Amino acid sequence: MARRVLVIGGGAAGMMAAITAAEQGAHVIVLEPNERLGKKLNITGKGRCNLTNRTDLNNILAHTPRNGKFLYSALSGFGPEDVIAFFEGLGVKLKTERGNRVFPVSDRAFDISAALERRMKVLKVNWIQDRAVNIIADDIDIIDKIDKIEKKEKFSRYVTGVQGENKFYAADAVILATGGVSYPATGSTGEGHYMARKLGHEITPLSGSLVPLCEKGNTCARMQGLSLRNINLIAWETRDGKNIKKIFEGFGELLFTHFGVSGPLILTASAYMNDFEKNIYKLEIDLKPALDEAELDRRLIADFKKYANRDYLNALDDLLPKKLIPVFVEISGIPEDLKMRDLTRIQRRKILELCKRFEIIIAGPRPITEAVVTRGGVRVSELNPATMESRLIKNLYMAGEIIDVDARTGGFNLQIAWSTGRTAGIAAAREK
């Protein structure tokens, strides 16, 4: 008789788990209260869906700063090339862009979710629009007496089904794939964490990862709307105003906002800021990364000679974006009405250093509801990395963002969803 597998959550990890379990011959039900499947998936990558990163296992782990080693088995079993082959097999044409990021050729995330839905229909996966309220698990000793199932070490209870808002669903295995708590409008409201905690699992503190950052002060607010491209960014952990540890360095784009900074480079840097209560973080922006200090100094000498009769405030148009100039001038401490012919070597050096190390002190992250992914979740030590099965509850599996694993931008987080969903689906369908 086919195993009855119930998947809680119809997002990326949940749909992959459901498809995989059905391919293994299981009878699969997906509980998803939203009016459509893949609601969060459809807004990823600004609606384009960066579904993976075409790279090797070690590079994925290097881009997973939190509990990456836990994913070794899942990623080994279903890596980026497997994901690409899977979706191309479903008829989705893919392309690889800068940074090895993989997108559908159509640039439509909906094509990814639609392909998954079609595959679910072919496999007769039953999607029920109901909300899971509780996972039901019986004491394993009682099951031993009734069904003579051998008691296994570490397991205290055994999954028997899920209570929904509308009815009870009996199941031989349950895969919990409800996501985190970012973008709650898509259904990621933390209900999965509540159910896991109720069964005895520890949930590590939840916060935002890949999240915009708030500044200390109003430097960024004065440049609101300004986008800087092709800049180099270093994030520092500081103490008493001194740089203690470089935690991130990257090249790309950032955006100044009314609260601080955002953009791809900032979201990635935020993944390395793990403790705002303990640490003060500082961003150091190299506004001219293509020029070393000697080359930049020659450039400054040429510019200031060209504008020798101009005031300092009006002599930076060739060097900096217009919106940045008043802030730059104020931070430099050089009088804005100083004629460039009167600029000293020490003052020119100050301008150079500010170009290479423009600093923003970070006050903290934006609310978790604005984060791309959730940092924290079910503690990985309580899961079997080879199967995604709970070490506490027999035949309960986890997949995707509910687990305490998160990665940088670039398709890595969706790769984690596909890999853990695949792993959980195989194990849930085959386990006896």
Side-chain angles (χ1 to χ4, degrees), residues 251-316:
F251 183 85
E253 178 181 351
L254 66 78
L255 173 70
F256 292 110
T257 72
H258 67 283
F259 56 77
V261 279
S262 187
L265 202 52
I266 297 301
L267 298 184
T268 300
S270 74
Y272 294 84
M273 299 180 183
N274 295 320
D275 194 345
F276 283 95
E277 292 185 6
K278 178 182 176 183
N279 300 315
I280 294 177
Y281 299 102
K282 181 178 75 176
L283 302 180
E284 205 172 74
I285 304 168
D286 185 346
L287 299 168
K288 298 294 176 183
L291 304 175
D292 63 25
E293 292 197 2
E295 292 169 328
L296 179 57
D297 194 42
R298 288 193 291 271
R299 163 76 184 274
L300 293 178
I301 291 171
D303 278 6
F304 298 159
K305 183 178 180 181
K306 178 180 176 182
Y307 298 120
N309 295 320
R310 284 193 184 183
D311 292 347
Y312 172 42
L313 180 65
N314 300 317
L316 300 175

Side-chain angles (χ1 to χ4, degrees), residues 10 15 19 36-39 41-42 49 87 92 108-120 418:
M15 286 192 283
I19 288 168
R36 69 183 310 160
L37 297 171
K39 196 168 182 180
L41 180 62
N42 287 335
C49 192
F87 282 102
V92 182
R108 295 175 70 239
F110 178 77
D111 290 348
I112 299 297
S113 60
L116 293 169
E117 282 196 66
R118 288 195 301 270
R119 182 60 177 159
M120 287 170 62
W418 308 132

Side-chain angles (χ1 to χ4, degrees), residues 128-385:
I128 299 176
Q129 197 173 348
D130 193 4
R131 184 182 303 279
V133 175
N134 198 17
I135 299 170
I136 309 302
D138 284 346
D139 185 273
I140 205 161
D141 289 327
I142 296 174
I143 295 176
D144 284 345
K145 294 174 184 177
I146 298 173
D147 295 332
K148 298 181 181 179
I149 296 175
E150 181 183 354
K151 183 176 180 180
K152 294 188 177 181
E153 188 179 358
K154 296 182 182 178
F155 295 117
S156 60
R157 285 181 286 171
Y158 192 101
V159 162
T160 57
V162 173
Q163 180 62 53
E165 286 184 337
N166 299 323
K167 59 177 287 189
F168 172 76
Y169 304 90
D172 298 307
V174 171
I175 301 174
L176 192 53
T178 52
V181 291
S182 58
Y183 293 126
T186 64
S188 299
T189 58
E191 293 172 342
H193 296 121
Y194 168 79
M195 287 185 276
R197 184 184 287 113
K198 196 172 179 180
L199 291 170
H201 280 282
E202 181 180 350
I203 308 301
T204 61
L206 303 176
S207 61
S209 184
L210 307 183
V211 63
L213 299 170
C214 299
E215 67 169 324
K216 188 174 182 179
N218 68 341
T219 299
C220 300
R222 292 169 59 193
M223 299 182 286
Q224 180 180 349
L226 173 63
S227 177
L228 296 181
R229 294 189 175 123
N230 303 319
I231 54 96
N232 194 74
L233 178 77
I234 296 176
W236 291 94
E237 184 181 300
T238 72
R239 193 167 299 126
D240 299 325
K242 296 181 180 179
N243 297 339
I244 301 299
K245 180 182 179 183
K246 182 197 292 187
I247 59 171
F248 170 78
E249 183 171 3
F251 183 85
E253 178 181 351
L254 66 78
L255 173 70
F256 292 110
T257 72
H258 67 283
F259 56 77
V261 279
S262 187
L265 202 52
I266 297 301
L267 298 184
T268 300
S270 74
Y272 294 84
M273 299 180 183
N274 295 320
D275 194 345
F276 283 95
E277 292 185 6
K278 178 182 176 183
N279 300 315
I280 294 177
Y281 299 102
K282 181 178 75 176
L283 302 180
E284 205 172 74
I285 304 168
D286 185 346
L287 299 168
K288 298 294 176 183
L291 304 175
D292 63 25
E293 292 197 2
E295 292 169 328
L296 179 57
D297 194 42
R298 288 193 291 271
R299 163 76 184 274
L300 293 178
I301 291 171
D303 278 6
F304 298 159
K305 183 178 180 181
K306 178 180 176 182
Y307 298 120
N309 295 320
R310 284 193 184 183
D311 292 347
Y312 172 42
L313 180 65
N314 300 317
L316 300 175
D317 291 348
D318 294 348
L319 186 69
L320 300 170
K322 189 172 183 178
K323 218 167 190 176
L324 176 59
I325 292 173
V327 176
F328 186 96
V329 168
E330 182 180 310
I331 293 173
S332 72
I334 300 170
E336 65 177 48
D337 59 351
L338 179 73
K339 298 298 182 184
M340 297 314 295
R341 62 176 179 267
D342 298 326
L343 190 77
T344 67
R345 180 177 296 180
I346 293 174
Q347 288 171 326
R348 191 178 77 237
R349 178 67 193 179
K350 189 175 289 186
I351 294 169
L352 183 150
E353 290 178 352
L354 190 55
C355 282
K356 299 300 284 184
R357 287 172 286 279
F358 188 90
E359 297 180 356
I360 303 292
I361 306 299
I362 300 303
R366 289 292 284 174
I368 193 171
T369 53
E370 296 181 24
V372 176
V373 297
T374 302
R375 174 184 290 129
V378 176
R379 187 173 290 281
V380 296
S381 61
E382 297 178 351
L383 301 175
N384 182 338

Side-chain angles (χ1 to χ4, degrees), residues 58-111:
N58 289 332
N59 197 35
I60 297 175
L61 297 180
H63 283 77
T64 309
R66 192 173 180 91
N67 296 323
K69 291 181 180 179
F70 170 80
L71 298 168
Y72 188 90
S73 180
L75 290 168
S76 297
F78 196 67
E81 293 301 328
D82 300 307
V83 169
I84 291 167
F86 173 82
F87 282 102
E88 288 181 338
L90 297 184
V92 182
K93 294 181 179 180
L94 304 176
K95 60 182 177 179
T96 304
E97 297 187 356
R98 180 177 57 85
N100 296 319
R101 300 173 186 228
V102 179
F103 294 88
V105 169
S106 65
D107 286 328
R108 295 175 70 239
F110 178 77
D111 290 348

